[in-house]
Amino acid sequence: MRALAEGSAPLRPLVNRFVAGTDLDAALPVIAGLATDRLVTVDHLGENTTDRAGADATVAAYRALLLRLTAEGLADRVEVSVKLSALGRGLPDGAALALAGAQEICTAAAEAGTTVTVDMEDHTTTDATLTTVRELRADFPWVGAVVQSQLRRTEADCRDLAGPGSRVRLCKGAYDEPASVAYRAKGEVDASYARCLTILMAGEGLPMVATHDPRLVELARRLGRDRAGGYELQMLYGVRPAAQVELAAAGEPMRVYLPYGTEWFGYFMRRLAERPANVAFFLRSLVTQN
Ligand code: FDA
């Protein structure tokens, strides 16, 4: 399926909706365009790296990205998002390898004057990811954590993470998780999101409200009004772009999560899974090609 998808020309327009190109040269003009009215967080696509060379290449790609952001004068409005599995966490001694890679990326981000947020992957990695974020914060207190409202544990995690200066991105969660650890019904995930958001807004950190759900965006605006520490609204590149522009024009701090790179398959499949209409289009594209 992956090989078929990656070679599929008719699929490109749908992929391009969510992914800003396969290399940095293609992504940079898109980043610069968005940064005229929005903030951006850039993800160099990749996950579940299977060897040391792949982990090293990911670190090198982030260093090159951060240098280019500085050279283009974008680093004050653009940060980066990183997956620990792309830094080799799944390898033997992976925790130490991923921590070392993330520290290198954070050092480059500090030199550029910007920040790093550590993406959250499936629930088997939650504890390890939050441990790495805590370790990174010893030297780089501005490192952002991500929590997923679909997980039953996340209200407690929000309480732990709501301390002074703590940047926390709250999303619903993009992975198919079992009922033993996750809410499965959309209504339950949404209600959990509202509870988690309320905890973060009452805390002392920076809540980063990552959702396209209009009701939750409105709740964030209401809870965040006059909040001393501020907050950010965050959406994915290609999802509700008109709402992004409108919210930014209304003075909301709106950040766009922008992925680029050749390893787009896993990210793209999660975007399809969120929208049945996208799946139908995807299957039609494959059939048209063959
Ligand atoms: P929901 O899925 O209920 O969608 C609400 C509305 O948004 C839909 O009705 C539709 O209009 C629109 N919409 C949502 N997804 C769409 C799509 N793919 N195509 C078209 N329209 C769509 N997840 C994770 O597990 N780990 C992470 O680190 C991150 N990081 C992250 C960063 C940022 C900035 C965002 C915005 C999201 C993430 N996510 C994530 C993904 C997140 O968990 C979730 O899967 C998606 O944001 C979709 O959930 P919504 O909150 O938008 O709600």
Side-chain angles (χ1 to χ4, degrees), residues 17 120 148 172-175 186 211-212 271 274-275:
R17 173 180 164 189
M120 188 57 81
Q148 299 152 320
K172 289 187 185 176
Y175 298 82
K186 178 173 162 48
T211 182
H212 315 93
R271 303 292 77 78
E274 286 155 3
R275 281 282 281 211

Side-chain angles (χ1 to χ4, degrees), residues 146-169:
V146 178
V147 290
Q148 299 152 320
S149 73
Q150 69 175 357
L151 296 187
R152 297 177 191 275
R153 59 177 285 165
T154 297
E155 272 182 79
D157 287 334
C158 286
R159 278 192 201 94
D160 286 349
L161 286 162
S166 171
R167 297 170 62 251
V168 183
R169 173 184 293 157

